[in-house]
């Protein structure tokens, strides 16, 4: 089976953006978590907020390259981002048994990722296909 050059380029771009999104989410949550935890005990809002912002940013960068099927492309890139998030968490935190705020309650993190990431990117794709007619 031969893959078209465009498909391979889209996959490469999605993988690069997914890795960058995971890395920036990790950096932001590591830097901001001590400030938030000290001021709001028992609630960890840093990771979800950073995931929403970073995934939204890279989702927009990815989807702006398409002129059709933006909703489908948004869903596909969301699933790619989720798989990359899972693999990076596994490689860097779970298997080497490194403690991080992300893996404190990993099942909850995993469930929220499989819901949030594809929803964010699919919604961005939906917004990208809309035509806006100013009055």
């Amino acid at each position: 089976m031969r893959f078209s050059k465009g498909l391979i380029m889209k996959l490469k771009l999605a993988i690069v953006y997914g890795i960058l999104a995971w890395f920036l989410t990790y950096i932001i949550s590591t830097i901001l978590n001590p400030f938030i935890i000290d001021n709001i005990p028992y609630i960890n809002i840093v990771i979800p907020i950073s995931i929403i912002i970073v995934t939204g940013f890279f989702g927009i960068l990815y989807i702006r390259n398409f002129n059709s099927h933006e909703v489908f492309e948004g869903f596909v890139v969301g699933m790619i981002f989720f798989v990359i998030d899972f693999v990076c968490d596994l490689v860097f935190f779970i298997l080497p048994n490194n403690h991080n705020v992300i893996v404190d309650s990993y099942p909850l993190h995993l469930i929220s990722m499989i819901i949030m990431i594809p929803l964010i990117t699919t919604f961005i794709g939906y917004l990208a296909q809309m035509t806006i007619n100013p009055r």
Side-chain angles (χ1 to χ4, degrees):
M1 183 163 112
R2 296 192 81 176
F3 294 106
S4 69
K5 187 176 182 179
L7 179 66
I8 292 173
M9 293 304 291
K10 287 189 327 185
L11 186 60
K12 285 181 183 178
L13 186 64
I15 290 171
V16 168
Y17 284 164
I19 291 171
L20 286 172
W22 179 86
F23 183 71
L24 283 176
T25 300
Y26 168 71
I27 294 295
I28 291 169
S29 63
T30 302
I31 291 172
L32 294 180
N33 197 47
F35 300 114
I36 303 296
I37 292 297
D38 291 342
N39 296 322
I40 306 172
Y42 309 115
I43 299 174
N44 190 355
I45 60 171
V46 174
I47 295 171
I49 289 175
S50 63
I51 287 169
I52 290 168
I53 292 169
V54 171
T55 301
F57 176 75
F58 284 106
I60 289 170
L61 287 180
Y62 180 80
I63 291 172
R64 73 180 182 170
N65 296 321
F66 298 98
N67 294 327
S68 63
H69 308 291
E70 291 95 343
V71 175
F72 176 74
E73 294 293 340
F75 179 75
V76 169
V77 80
M79 294 309 294
I80 292 170
F81 283 7
F82 168 73
V83 169
I84 290 170
D85 182 75
F86 176 72
V87 169
C88 288
D89 286 347
L90 194 67
V91 168
F92 292 107
F93 301 126
I94 304 296
L95 292 178
N97 202 17
N98 290 336
H99 177 71
N100 187 296
V101 84
I102 291 174
V103 295
D104 283 344
S105 74
Y106 192 69
L108 178 63
H109 173 75
L110 195 62
I111 291 169
S112 63
M113 291 303 92
I114 197 144
I115 293 170
M116 274 195 327
I117 292 175
L119 277 177
I120 292 168
T121 56
T122 304
F123 184 64
I124 290 171
Y126 173 73
L127 291 175
Q129 79 173 0
M130 291 177 61
T131 56
I132 299 173
N133 297 322
R135 294 180 190 210

